[in-house]
Amino acid sequence: MATAAGPIASNSTPQNSNAYCTPIAPSVPITHKWSIAEDLTCISNPSKHNNPQTGYRSFSVKMSFYVKYEEKLEDVRKALREVEENPLEGLIISSTPDGYPEHDLYEVSTLFRFLRQEGHNVTADVFNNFKDKEGRFRSELSTDIRGLMSLYEASQLRIEGEDILDQAADFSSQLLGRWTTDPNHHEARLVSNTLTHPYHKSLATFMAKSFLHDCKGQNGWVDNLQELAKMDLTMVQSIHQKEVLQVSQWWKDTGLANELKLARNQPLKWYMWPMAALTDPRFSEERVELTKPISFIYIIDDIFDVYGTIEELTLFTDAVNRWELSAVEQLPDYMKVCFKALYDVTNEIAYKIYKKHGQNPIDSLQRTWASLCNAFLVEAKWFASGHLPNAEEYLKNGIISSGVHVVLAHMFFLLGDGITQESVDLVDDYPGISTSIATILRLSDDLGSAKDEDQDGYDGSYIECYMKEHKGSSVDSARAEVIRMISEAWKCLNKECLSPNPFSESFRIGSLNMARMIPMMYSYDDNHNLPILEEHMKAMIYNTSL
């Protein structure tokens, strides 16, 4: 995740350590103009069905469209009210902790998943009804494909210590794996998709196409739902298009792409993180603002990886820790530009949050940047000296250098829901929701077999540290350990999202979506491309086919 900031003149940061003092307003506001980012060329045939001036399809969303949308929405509401009478189709509507069915694997698993997704800490003991006297899942369940798929989906919401769901995951995945080997079986594709992209660990927007293609309902409600989804996508895409243009112009105005020729120049890719995390259309401003710190994480990472000497990086880290413009005097010019941009944009974001939510988060935001640069410097010193830390030490620092905490802290304050001194203290102290996502990201990044985006820097990997520490271990065994650790981190994340919870629903959902986005960001093919990400990018920005 990374982004860059704009060279916007602002007054000095308030020196009062009270995070709730009035921030100084930036003296020059950012202006957003319509432009296209350079990395839009990664989308094939961008001119097809596009507006020649913007590069995007121009949606003329007229009043008649909204009238039709409301009519279709009412049709779906009516159909769903009828569906409630059918327990199999109405589970998603009537999800309450009471009234579990007892002996239908599909119904029990589906209801369990829906309740866990809503934060209810329901017990997994309900699955004991499907075990034999020896404590194993009953063999006759092996032919219940729908039930097994639902059981596998439910197992993805397990938390630490739930052995029965660990068994459920192994049992269902092994049996379902056999069905995928039969190309003639009509459900082979559906089963394969379930194993590859379980709902809980996948973006809802990414899964929508498969869901609408595969689900079968009664009373024709699925057709109505599909039409409504297409109309909804049309409106959402028009919002995303405007946001991409705002981000692109902001990035261009920073001048950092020209100043840092070797750094990544991918504002559209960076925007994909907040687009995926904050799916509610009303969070338009928050998506644009969140792209900015994300961009800086990438740019500063590149400075540490491919630009700076240890001496320069030490001075840069000191400047970020001091958070004073006067601290950049000894820095090379490219670092001065970067720090000034980071400083200005962070202060501007803090001021916007203060105006909207009445709280000034500058102290919290500054500390996240200091921690990130401190962690980057530790890694730079490790690998400049040829010293490889042990795996635990590497991961502890890597959780911070992942940048996840920087992103989630900015997202927390931008959303503004339930900001109290208690919740601010939790955010400042690296909450479990942050460290679990950071663990997933760091290990997923290290698990990738392709070189990341032609970057020339070297910053090691957990697998390398693990193999050095465990003499004689193979790459395969090291990778298996990393996959196990990612699974354990998901268990921690699942637990952090259960009620009662100190964070708002919008923040929890946004955090989960960050974790769900990680596989797309690190699924490199042999050509160092990200085809899954590009497919999702096209679908969410200009392709209306479902």
Side-chain angles (χ1 to χ4, degrees):
M1 310 176 194
T3 174
I8 303 156
S10 69
N11 295 321
S12 300
T13 310
Q15 298 303 307
N16 190 330
S17 61
N18 182 357
Y20 304 112
C21 62
T22 303
I24 304 298
S27 58
V28 181
I30 288 182
T31 57
H32 297 298
K33 300 178 181 179
W34 292 74
S35 177
I36 295 297
E38 290 181 18
D39 62 338
L40 286 178
T41 56
C42 70
I43 299 178
S44 60
N45 300 320
S47 61
K48 186 178 181 181
H49 303 302
N50 288 353
N51 183 306
Q53 292 183 330
T54 67
Y56 288 114
R57 172 153 41 171
S58 176
F59 288 112
S60 179
V61 184
K62 300 179 180 179
M63 185 58 67
S64 59
F65 177 91
Y66 289 105
V67 173
K68 293 180 181 178
Y69 181 82
E70 287 298 325
E71 291 174 351
K72 185 60 63 177
L73 186 60
E74 183 54 37
D75 289 342
V76 172
R77 289 193 186 108
K78 181 179 178 181
L80 289 177
R81 284 194 291 269
E82 296 174 358
V83 164
E84 280 189 276
E85 301 173 3
N86 184 328
L88 289 178
E89 293 191 67
L91 279 174
I92 192 168
I93 306 168
S94 58
S95 294
T96 62
D98 303 318
Y100 259 113
E102 292 186 1
H103 301 295
D104 186 297
L105 182 60
Y106 171 75
E107 289 191 46
V108 170
S109 301
T110 302
L111 184 53
F112 176 87
R113 176 167 67 89
F114 288 151
L115 291 171
R116 277 282 174 98
Q117 286 174 177
E118 292 300 312
H120 298 291
N121 194 3
V122 291
T123 178
D125 291 345
V126 292
F127 294 104
N128 283 323
N129 293 329
F130 303 97
K131 287 189 169 185
D132 58 25
K133 294 180 180 179
E134 285 72 37
R136 296 187 293 265
F137 280 94
R138 298 198 301 267
S139 58
E140 59 264 29
L141 296 173
S142 61
T143 58
D144 182 5
I145 300 180
R146 188 174 70 155
L148 289 171
M149 287 194 295
S150 187
L151 179 62
Y152 180 77
E153 296 280 9
S155 72
Q156 303 307 303
L157 287 106
R158 62 192 185 273
I159 62 178
E160 188 178 9
E162 289 187 319
D163 295 340
I164 190 171
L165 288 181
D166 287 334
Q167 296 171 26
D170 293 339
F171 174 76
S172 57
S173 62
Q174 289 179 15
L175 290 171
L176 290 172
R178 299 173 188 173
W179 291 101
T180 63
T181 60
D182 183 2
N184 297 318
H185 195 280
H186 68 283
E187 291 187 315
R189 187 192 64 81
L190 183 59
V191 171
S192 178
N193 192 59
T194 296
L195 293 174
T196 306
H197 303 292
Y199 283 114
H200 180 61
K201 294 182 179 179
S202 304
L203 294 170
T205 51
F206 183 75
M207 298 296 291
K209 185 175 181 178
S210 295
F211 172 78
L212 291 170
H213 180 272
D214 295 322
C215 69
K216 294 178 174 62
Q218 296 176 1
N219 304 316
W221 70 271
V222 170
D223 291 337
N224 282 325
L225 182 62
Q226 188 165 21
E227 287 302 313
L228 183 65
K230 289 180 179 179
M231 297 177 78
D232 187 71
L233 180 59
T234 296
M235 293 190 295
V236 170
Q237 283 178 330
S238 67
I239 296 172
H240 290 331
Q241 291 166 11
K242 293 176 182 178
E243 293 167 359
V244 167
L245 294 170
Q246 289 177 316
V247 167
S248 300
Q249 186 62 46
W250 165 79
W251 172 243
K252 180 181 178 182
D253 289 345
T254 67
L256 287 173
N258 294 326
E259 193 69 33
L260 300 167
K261 297 292 187 182
L262 298 180
R264 281 164 283 195
N265 181 21
Q266 303 167 322
L268 178 57
K269 178 183 175 182
W270 303 333
Y271 165 77
M272 292 295 290
W273 284 105
M275 188 194 77
L278 305 176
T279 57
D280 193 315
R282 65 190 172 98
F283 292 141
S284 181
E285 181 182 6
E286 288 79 4
R287 284 188 290 271
V288 171
E289 294 303 315
L290 189 57
T291 305
K292 298 174 184 179
I294 289 173
S295 306
F296 271 115
I297 298 169
Y298 279 108
I299 295 304
I300 295 174
D301 183 32
D302 289 342
I303 286 177
F304 275 80
D305 279 357
V306 300
Y307 271 99
T309 65
I310 293 297
E311 292 73 24
E312 291 173 342
L313 297 175
T314 301
L315 291 172
F316 183 84
T317 300
D318 180 64
V320 174
N321 275 270
R322 290 169 58 188
W323 204 246
E324 298 172 357
L325 290 177
S326 60
V328 303
E329 294 302 323
Q330 300 180 53
L331 294 178
D333 288 343
Y334 75 94
M335 283 188 172
K336 288 180 181 178
V337 172
C338 182
F339 178 79
K340 176 65 163 53
L342 173 66
Y343 180 91
D344 282 344
V345 169
T346 304
N347 285 334
E348 183 184 79
I349 290 174
Y351 182 67
K352 289 180 178 179
I353 292 168
Y354 173 78
K355 287 198 299 182
K356 189 170 185 178
H357 303 297
Q359 306 287 359
N360 178 14
I362 188 61
D363 285 352
S364 295
L365 300 185
Q366 180 270 322
R367 280 194 291 268
T368 67
W369 288 115
S371 296
L372 179 68
C373 290
N374 291 340
F376 280 162
L377 184 60
V378 168
E379 291 177 348
K381 289 179 177 179
W382 279 342
F383 305 117
S385 66
H387 167 69
L388 206 61
N390 63 47
E392 181 180 359
E393 188 180 9
Y394 168 86
L395 184 58
K396 183 178 179 180
N397 190 76
I399 286 173
I400 302 173
S401 69
S402 70
V404 167
H405 184 63
V406 175
V407 177
L408 294 191
H410 281 76
M411 184 171 73
F412 169 77
F413 287 109
L414 283 166
L415 291 172
D417 295 333
I419 297 181
T420 64
Q421 188 60 55
E422 179 184 6
S423 61
V424 169
D425 290 342
L426 281 172
V427 168
D428 287 348
D429 197 32
Y430 289 81
I433 197 169
S434 177
T435 55
S436 55
I437 296 172
T439 301
I440 294 168
L441 188 147
R442 172 54 62 211
L443 293 176
S444 297
D445 186 4
D446 291 351
L447 194 62
S449 58
K451 191 177 180 183
D452 183 4
E453 308 181 53
D454 298 325
Q455 294 296 294
D456 295 325
Y458 170 74
D459 55 6
S461 74
Y462 183 88
I463 290 177
E464 191 173 356
C465 296
Y466 180 89
M467 292 181 67
K468 179 182 177 182
E469 187 176 343
H470 297 79
K471 301 296 185 183
S473 60
S474 65
V475 173
D476 288 342
S477 64
R479 290 175 64 84
E481 172 61 12
V482 169
I483 292 171
R484 184 196 67 79
M485 293 173 68
I486 292 174
S487 178
E488 292 299 311
W490 264 104
K491 292 181 184 180
C492 294
L493 178 56
N494 290 339
K495 184 176 182 179
E496 291 293 328
C497 292
L498 295 176
S499 299
N501 198 290
F503 297 115
S504 68
E505 181 182 12
S506 57
F507 178 76
R508 295 197 306 272
I509 293 174
S511 299
L512 272 171
N513 283 337
M514 280 287 181
R516 292 162 176 155
M517 187 65 175
I518 291 171
M520 285 195 196
M521 284 291 182
Y522 295 98
S523 299
Y524 289 93
D525 61 16
D526 292 339
N527 297 318
H528 314 301
N529 295 322
L530 294 165
I532 299 177
L533 179 66
E534 292 181 11
E535 176 188 346
H536 185 58
M537 187 187 297
K538 288 186 288 184
M540 294 307 298
I541 294 177
Y542 74 83
N543 188 344
T544 58
S545 63
L546 281 176

